[in-house]
Amino acid sequence: MHRIKGIMARELAGHLPVSQTVLEDWLEIPPDSAMGDLALPCFRLAKELRQSPQAIARDIVSRIASSDLLQGAEAIGPYVNMRLRRDYACSLWLQAIEQDDAFFSSGNGAGQTVAIDLSSPNIAKPFGVGHLRSTIIGTAIANLLESDGFTTLRINHIGDWGTQFGKIIVAYHRYGDPERVRANPIQELNSLYVRFHEEEKTSPELEAQGRAAFKRLEDGQPDETALWQWIVDVSLADFNRTYDLLGTKFTAVLGESFYNDKMAAVVDELSAKGLLMLSEGAEVVSLEQVDLPPCLIRKSDGATLYATRDLAAALYRHKVLGADRLTYVVGGEQRLHFKQLFAVLERMGYEFATQCSHVAFGMMTIGGKKMSTRKGHIVRLQDVLDEAISRARSIIAQKSPDLTNAEEVAKAIGVGAVIFNDLKTNRLHDIEFAMDQAVAFDGETGPYVQYTHARACSVLRKAGLLAPGESNPTSVATWSEVLANEWTDKTRGVASGEESLNNKALDDVSTSKAFDDATLDDVSWELAKQVSQFSGVRQRASAEADPSLIAKQVLDICQAFNRFYHDCPILTSEGSTRTLRLALTDATRLTIRASLQLLGIGHPAQL
RNA sequence: GUCUCAGUAGCUCAGUCGGAUAGAGCAACAGCCUUCUAAGCUGUGGGUCGGGGGUUCGAAUCCCUCCUGAGACGCCA
C-alpha cells in the first residue's frame, strides 16, 4: 500500500479529531479482499465522539463517499471498508517502482556506519549448518541496512584463539599425520580434537598438557606459533570455498587473536575508570546496579577472558573502524554475555553502548539435540549445499536440457533453497535440521521464488523488452509514460503528486476508456496490492533486523503473480490491457529481484 | 534453584505493539499442460491457538498461575 495509506489517512484526518499519523496506524488491510482494500475500525473513536462505532462508521462513509481516492466505501458493522480507485493506486505504484521513489530504499541511515558481527566460525572445526544462520541472517541484515543508506562493516570474528588450540596442538603432535591433514584439514583436525577428548576421559593429564601448549602459543614460541598459523591458514582456505558458494562478502576478517595486543589497554582503561574490583581472586566489573551478574575481566591467574576480548573488539570497531552502531548476529545462548558486554561499555561512559544490539537466533538441532563438534555430531554445511545443488542439477537436466549456464543456475538454486529455507523462519526458536526440507524446491521455497522471477523475465523477454539471460536492475520500459499516454496526461499529473489531488482531474481519468475494472481485474489488482506492500515491509524488516519479513512478503507476491500468470494472458492481450499486464509483470520482476538480493540469493533470468 | 526464550492443523511454520470467520506450505486425496516455463495453478479434508484464571466492546496476542521443551546463570568461547 505504498503511499496510499498515508494519502487516505490524511483525507480521513480532515473529517476526524485524530491526526494523520494515528489514522495511518489504524488503517488496516481487511482479512478478505472481498471486503475492500483498506479498512478503518472505529472502536477507538467511540469514546471521544460519544457514539457507537457502528454509527461512526456510517458517518465516515457518508463523508468520504465522494473521495477522489475511492470507488466506494461501506460501513460493515464498526468498520469502514474502502475500495480504492484501482487506476489511481496502480499508476502511483508503478511510477514509484520505476523511479525507486522510496520504494526499494531509503536514506534513513545516511552518514551512519554500522558494524555487523556475523558468521564467526571456529578454526579447525567444521563449518556446520549452525554457522549458516549467523552468516546468512547477518548478510541479509547488512543488505537491509544498506538499503536504508547505512554504511556497513561486515566483520567475521573468527574463533582462532583460546585454550582449545593448546589441545589441538597436543592432539596433532600425538596422532596427527601432516599429509592427511593437508589433504583434508578441517575434517582431520576435528577428528584429532574429538579423539583427544575421548582420551582425556581416561588420561586426565592431557588437559594440563593442552593448557601448557596454549601457554607456549601465547608466549610466542616459534614451533607452536608456526603450527597454529598453518592451522588457521588451511581452515580459512576451507571456509572461503563455502563463502564463495554462498556469495558471502566481508569487510574485514579479524580473528580473536587480532586483539591479543589490545587487551592490556582495555584492562588499564577499566582500571583507570575505577570499574575493576577483586572478587574471589578474579577481577570483575560489577553490574549490580543494572541487575546483572558481574562481568569477568581477568581470571585469578591474570589471564583475560572472552568478555575482555569482546570489549577490545567493540572499542576497535567504534574507535578505529568508525562504527556508530554495533550489531552482533550470534546465537541466543549468548544473550547474557551481550547484555553484560553492553552494560560494561555503558559504565565505561561510551554513548554508543545504547546503539549496540544482539540479534539472537535459535539453535539448529539434529534429532532434537544440539550439534556438538566435540562429539562429531554435526551436519556439514558443504554437504547440505552439495546435496541441494545436485538435486537442482538433475531437475534442470530434466526440465531445461538446453540451458547454457546450467551449472551456474544449479548452484544459484541449490544455494538459494538452503538460504531461503533458513531465512523464511527467523524466529527465536530452535530449528530441527531436516535435509529434505532444507533442499526442497516446492512450495514456500527459494527455488519457487526464483522460478517466479524467471517466469516474469521470460514473458518480458518474449515481449522484446529483455535480452536473453538478463534481468535488468531497472524498469525495462518507461511505464509511467506509456501509461500516461494511454490514460491521458491528467492521470499522470494526479499520480505524481498527492498535492495535486482534485476532483476535476480524477473525473477526467474516470471517463478515460483506457482504464477500467475490466483492465484491472481482481487478480491483477491483487498482484498490484501485494507488490505495493514491499516498500513498507522492507522498511520494517530493516528496522527490526528481521529478514524473514522479506521472505514472507516475496512469497505472497510470487503466489499472486503465479495466479495472475495463470489467469491473465499477457502477451496475447491487446492495447492498454497488454501494456498494464506487462507493467505489472515488470514491477513484479523488479520486486522479486530486490527481495532476493536483500536475502543474498541469486536471481537467474532463466531456469 | 533463579532468569531468558519457545509451545498454533499429522509435519514445518505465519499471525503476537489487542480487532472482522485463526492463515500458508509440506504430506493425503481430486482436478488443470495443442495457449506466455506444470519448480506452477485450482479444489477437498484437517484446529480444546499447552491448561486454568483475569483485564474489556473485543484476547492466539496483554496480566497472573501452572504444565512441557530448550538455553543461560564467574574464572570455556
Side-chain angles (χ1 to χ4, degrees):
Chain A
M1 289 290 151
H2 182 73
R3 289 176 66 194
I4 290 288
K5 235 185 186 179
I7 299 174
M8 195 62 227
R10 199 184 55 186
E11 186 163 332
L12 285 164
H15 303 294
L16 296 165
V18 185
S19 75
Q20 176 183 347
T21 326
V22 172
L23 283 166
E24 188 168 350
D25 192 49
W26 285 0
L27 280 173
E28 56 187 48
I29 295 171
D32 182 350
S33 58
M35 296 172 174
D37 304 312
L38 272 178
L40 181 72
C42 300
F43 305 100
R44 277 169 283 205
L45 287 160
K47 268 178 206 158
E48 182 144 355
L49 295 177
R50 294 171 179 280
Q51 285 183 69
S52 73
Q54 288 79 2
I56 296 169
R58 281 194 300 271
D59 185 49
I60 294 176
V61 165
S62 68
R63 283 167 191 262
I64 61 173
S66 60
S67 166
D68 310 331
L69 267 176
L70 304 175
Q71 51 164 303
E74 59 177 337
I76 298 183
Y79 289 89
V80 176
N81 286 350
M82 292 162 268
R83 213 167 289 279
L84 292 169
R85 281 278 304 271
R86 296 179 174 185
D87 53 355
Y88 176 78
C90 217
S91 314
L92 187 76
W93 293 333
L94 289 173
Q95 206 166 22
I97 289 167
E98 178 186 322
Q99 298 166 357
D100 187 9
D101 178 17
F103 193 83
F104 295 113
S105 61
S106 90
N108 295 345
Q112 285 201 71
T113 299
V114 48
I116 296 139
D117 185 301
L118 72 159
S119 197
S120 309
N122 294 318
I123 294 295
K125 288 186 186 174
F127 194 100
V129 284
H131 287 291
L132 175 71
R133 306 214 73 199
S134 174
T135 309
I136 67 180
I137 293 170
T139 296
I141 289 173
N143 292 340
L144 280 164
L145 289 170
E146 274 181 11
S147 77
D148 258 338
F150 287 96
T151 300
T152 63
L153 303 170
R154 302 165 191 234
I155 300 175
N156 194 357
H157 190 67
I158 300 275
D160 66 355
W161 204 251
T163 42
Q164 76 270 23
F165 282 96
K167 295 183 180 179
I168 292 167
I169 287 168
V170 172
Y172 180 78
H173 285 315
R174 281 178 81 86
Y175 9 78
D177 174 345
E179 287 314 309
R180 290 183 58 179
V181 173
R182 210 185 309 276
N184 203 347
I186 301 285
Q187 217 165 334
E188 200 59 29
L189 287 168
N190 189 54
S191 65
L192 294 179
Y193 188 61
V194 171
R195 188 167 157 191
F196 181 90
H197 269 280
E198 276 164 15
E199 202 168 325
E200 206 179 13
K201 286 175 197 159
T202 52
S203 317
E205 75 279 5
L206 282 178
E207 203 196 328
Q209 285 185 32
R211 266 207 304 272
F214 181 62
K215 183 75 170 64
R216 287 196 296 277
L217 180 57
E218 278 196 301
D219 293 344
Q221 293 292 324
D223 285 357
E224 278 75 12
T225 304
L227 181 54
W228 170 81
Q229 188 62 55
W230 180 71
I231 291 171
V232 169
D233 290 345
V234 295
S235 296
L236 282 179
D238 193 87
F239 294 157
N240 282 335
R241 287 216 309 277
T242 304
Y243 290 137
D244 283 348
L245 203 49
L246 288 172
T248 312
K249 297 269 187 283
F250 297 103
T251 315
V253 180
L254 299 173
E256 294 174 355
S257 62
F258 176 78
Y259 301 97
N260 284 346
D261 62 359
K262 298 169 181 62
M263 310 286 267
V266 174
V267 177
D268 288 348
E269 185 176 339
L270 286 165
S271 176
K273 288 180 174 169
L275 297 172
L276 280 185
M277 51 191 278
L278 268 176
S279 166
E280 298 170 36
E283 289 181 82
V284 310
V285 174
S286 169
L287 299 172
E288 212 170 334
Q289 45 187 268
V290 285
D291 212 23
L292 287 174
C295 181
L296 278 269
I297 298 298
R298 204 137 67 149
K299 298 199 268 188
S300 35
D301 65 2
T304 54
L305 287 127
Y306 75 123
T308 328
R309 199 168 295 273
D310 273 357
L311 278 173
L315 294 178
Y316 182 81
R317 288 168 194 183
H318 177 64
K319 290 180 177 171
V320 181
L321 301 179
D324 306 299
R325 296 166 59 167
L326 304 184
T327 295
Y328 294 85
V329 185
V330 179
E333 64 274 13
Q334 292 198 39
R335 266 200 186 85
L336 179 59
H337 169 244
F338 283 108
K339 275 188 188 168
Q340 291 178 303
L341 183 68
F342 303 157
V344 172
L345 285 171
E346 188 142 24
R347 284 208 69 189
M348 291 173 86
Y350 288 106
E351 281 179 20
F352 78 96
T354 58
Q355 301 300 311
C356 293
S357 62
H358 172 209
V359 177
F361 52 85
M363 284 188 312
M364 183 107 36
T365 58
I366 293 180
K369 288 178 189 163
K370 184 179 179 174
M371 293 188 194
S372 160
T373 37
R374 274 200 246 181
K375 293 169 191 153
H377 186 66
I378 195 163
V379 174
R380 291 180 61 241
L381 176 59
Q382 193 64 50
D383 295 339
V384 179
L385 293 174
D386 287 346
E387 172 69 20
I389 292 167
S390 112
R391 290 193 195 193
R393 211 177 273 133
S394 70
I395 291 178
I396 290 169
Q398 178 197 330
K399 306 203 178 203
S400 315
D402 301 330
L403 200 61
T404 49
N405 57 340
E407 187 57 23
E408 191 188 327
V409 172
K411 278 185 185 169
I413 291 176
V415 172
V418 174
I419 293 179
F420 194 90
N421 177 249
D422 195 309
L423 282 182
K424 78 176 175 195
T425 305
N426 180 18
R427 294 280 305 186
L428 293 164
H429 45 50
D430 302 342
I431 289 188
E432 167 70 14
F433 178 80
M435 182 64 92
D436 280 341
Q437 199 191 322
V439 304
F441 292 173
D442 297 331
E444 299 175 326
T445 65
Y448 171 71
V449 177
Q450 291 168 314
Y451 174 78
T452 309
H453 173 262
R455 256 186 161 179
C457 288
S458 173
V459 172
L460 295 166
R461 205 159 45 234
K462 291 200 166 143
L465 296 167
L466 273 178
E470 287 189 14
S471 175
N472 303 26
T474 53
S475 305
V476 291
T478 48
W479 297 115
S480 59
E481 279 189 27
V482 174
L483 296 171
N485 289 338
E486 290 193 10
W487 301 344
T488 78
D489 287 336
K490 284 149 195 154
T491 323
R492 197 180 171 201
V494 171
S496 61
E498 50 256 51
E499 273 68 33
S500 64
L501 251 187
N502 62 69
N503 282 316
K504 270 185 195 162
L506 279 151
D507 284 346
D508 288 341
V509 172
S510 61
T511 56
S512 157
K513 283 184 204 161
F515 208 112
D516 52 29
D517 271 7
T519 317
L520 256 173
D521 55 277
D522 289 349
V523 174
S524 305
W525 175 235
E526 207 50 51
L527 172 60
K529 284 199 288 183
Q530 285 299 341
V531 169
S532 81
Q533 310 250 50
F534 174 84
S535 67
V537 170
R538 198 217 104 251
Q539 231 156 31
R540 210 183 130 201
S542 174
E544 296 178 15
D546 187 355
S548 73
L549 298 176
I550 296 285
K552 282 164 210 149
Q553 183 58 36
V554 78
L555 282 172
D556 285 342
I557 291 169
C558 288
Q559 199 176 40
F561 178 78
N562 281 319
R563 195 168 297 152
F564 164 80
Y565 180 91
H566 184 265
D567 291 357
C568 308
I570 303 164
L571 296 172
T572 54
S573 58
E574 291 175 349
S576 60
T577 304
R578 186 174 193 270
T579 306
L580 177 75
R581 288 181 179 172
L582 281 170
L584 280 172
T585 302
D586 196 34
T588 304
R589 174 186 71 86
L590 286 167
T591 309
I592 297 177
R593 190 182 185 281
S595 303
L596 288 172
Q597 268 182 335
L598 285 172
L599 299 179
I601 297 172
H603 51 270
Q606 217 167 332
L607 301 191

